[in-house]
Amino acid sequence: MESLKFLVSSRYIRDLATLVVAYGISINLVEVTWKSKLKAQFPSPNEYSSFMGDFSTATGIATFTMMLLNQFIFNKYGWGVAAKITPTVLLLTGVGFFSLILFGDPLGPALAEFGMTPLLAAVYVGAMQNIFSKSAKYSLFDPCKEMAYIPLDEDTKVKGKAAIDVVCNPLGKSGDALIQQFMILTFGSLANSTPYLGGILLMIVFTWLSAAKSLDTQFTALRREEELEKEMERAAVKMPIVSEPRNDCCK
C-alpha cells in the first residue's frame, strides 16, 4: 500500500512505472500468440526445436550488436530517443504480426509469390518482433530505466525503486496472463480473441510512448538542474578569496 501511494503521488515514478508495466504486458502479449502460431507452422518437435535454436542464435547476435550501438545512440540522440526505440519496435512489428494473422487471406496471393504462406510470414514477423524487442530491452530499455533514477534525490530514488520492484515488475509479468485469461473466458479461445489482443497491444504501446515522452521532459529538466548546481559549485570553488588589508598604523 505504501508503494502504491508513492506511485500515485509522484508523476516521475508513475511514468517510469508505466514503462515497466507496459513492457511486461506487451512483450508477453505478442509472444504467447506468436508461439501458438509457431506450433501450428512447425508441428514436428524436430522442426520446432531447430527453429527455436536459430531464433536463440539470432537473438544473441542482435543483442550483442545493439549493445555495441547503445552508447552511440545515447550520445547522439539522448535518453528520450533511446527510451522510445523499444516501444516503437514493438508497435511496428506488432502491427505487422497481427495484420498477417487477421488479414492473411487477402495477402495470401502476394505472399505466395515469395514462397510463403500467411502463417509462415506471421511466424517470421513474430520472430523478428521477439528478437528486436528483447535485444532493445537489454541494450536500451534496461539502461534507460536505471539512468532515470540518477537525477532523483536519495529518498525518492530508494522509495521509487522499491515501489517499481514490489508492484510494477510482478504486475507487468502477470498482467498479460490476466488479460489472456479474460479473453479466453469471454471469446472461447485465444484465436478468437486475437483481434482484441491486437487492439489492447496498440493501447498499451501508445500509453508507453506517452509516458516515455513525459518522462523524457522531466528527466531532461532534472539533469539540467543537476548540471547547473555543479557549475555553480565549480564557480564557487574557483572564485578567488580576497583577503582584507592589514592595518599597520597600530604598529
Side-chain angles (χ1 to χ4, degrees):
M1 290 304 298
E2 289 179 3
S3 297
L4 285 172
K5 288 178 182 178
F6 190 76
L7 287 172
V8 173
S9 63
S10 173
R11 180 189 170 197
Y12 190 97
I13 298 299
R14 189 167 62 249
D15 287 338
L16 185 56
T18 303
L19 266 62
V20 174
V21 174
Y23 177 83
I25 293 177
S26 57
I27 188 68
N28 290 315
L29 205 62
V30 177
E31 188 172 9
V32 171
T33 309
W34 171 65
K35 284 188 175 179
S36 67
K37 301 300 177 183
L38 182 60
K39 290 178 181 178
Q41 176 64 37
F42 301 110
S44 168
N46 290 335
E47 291 180 346
Y48 183 87
S49 299
S50 176
F51 183 88
M52 291 305 294
D54 294 337
F55 169 78
S56 298
T57 301
T59 303
I61 294 171
T63 302
F64 180 74
T65 304
M66 290 295 292
M67 286 288 189
L68 297 177
L69 293 175
N70 72 341
Q71 192 64 42
F72 169 78
I73 294 171
F74 279 112
N75 292 336
K76 179 74 173 178
Y77 302 105
W79 187 94
V81 172
K84 293 172 186 173
I85 287 177
T86 306
T88 302
V89 169
L90 269 167
L91 177 64
L92 296 176
T93 53
V95 167
F97 174 71
F98 281 102
S99 296
L100 285 167
I101 294 175
L102 298 174
F103 310 111
D105 292 337
L107 296 172
L111 292 171
E113 295 182 4
F114 298 95
M116 289 192 295
T117 62
L119 178 60
L120 181 60
V123 166
Y124 284 150
V125 173
M128 289 175 57
Q129 184 274 331
N130 277 273
I131 290 167
F132 288 112
S133 61
K134 286 181 178 179
S135 63
K137 176 190 183 295
Y138 298 132
S139 59
L140 296 172
F141 180 79
D142 286 347
C144 281
K145 183 182 71 174
E146 297 304 320
M147 287 173 63
Y149 293 111
I150 293 174
L152 300 175
D153 60 83
E154 194 63 28
D155 184 59
T156 306
K157 189 183 298 184
V158 172
K159 289 183 179 179
K161 194 169 181 61
I164 289 174
D165 290 342
V166 169
V167 178
C168 300
N169 281 333
L171 183 60
K173 293 176 181 178
S174 61
D176 164 66
L178 292 173
I179 291 172
Q180 292 192 30
Q181 288 298 320
F182 174 78
M183 290 292 178
I184 291 172
L185 291 173
T186 304
F187 300 103
S189 68
L190 192 62
N192 293 336
S193 61
T194 298
Y196 304 97
L197 291 175
I200 291 171
L201 176 68
L202 287 177
M203 291 173 57
I204 292 172
V205 173
F206 281 126
T207 303
W208 183 355
L209 287 167
S210 176
K213 182 179 179 181
S214 172
L215 190 59
D216 179 35
T217 303
Q218 298 172 78
F219 177 80
T220 304
L222 288 173
R223 292 289 289 178
R224 285 176 181 171
E225 289 179 9
E226 192 178 47
E227 290 174 3
L228 184 60
E229 288 177 1
K230 289 181 180 179
E231 288 179 4
M232 292 176 67
E233 290 175 0
R234 285 196 294 266
V237 170
K238 291 180 180 179
M239 187 178 296
I241 300 174
V242 180
S243 60
E244 295 182 0
R246 294 178 60 188
N247 189 356
D248 297 332
C249 63
C250 299
K251 287 185 178 180

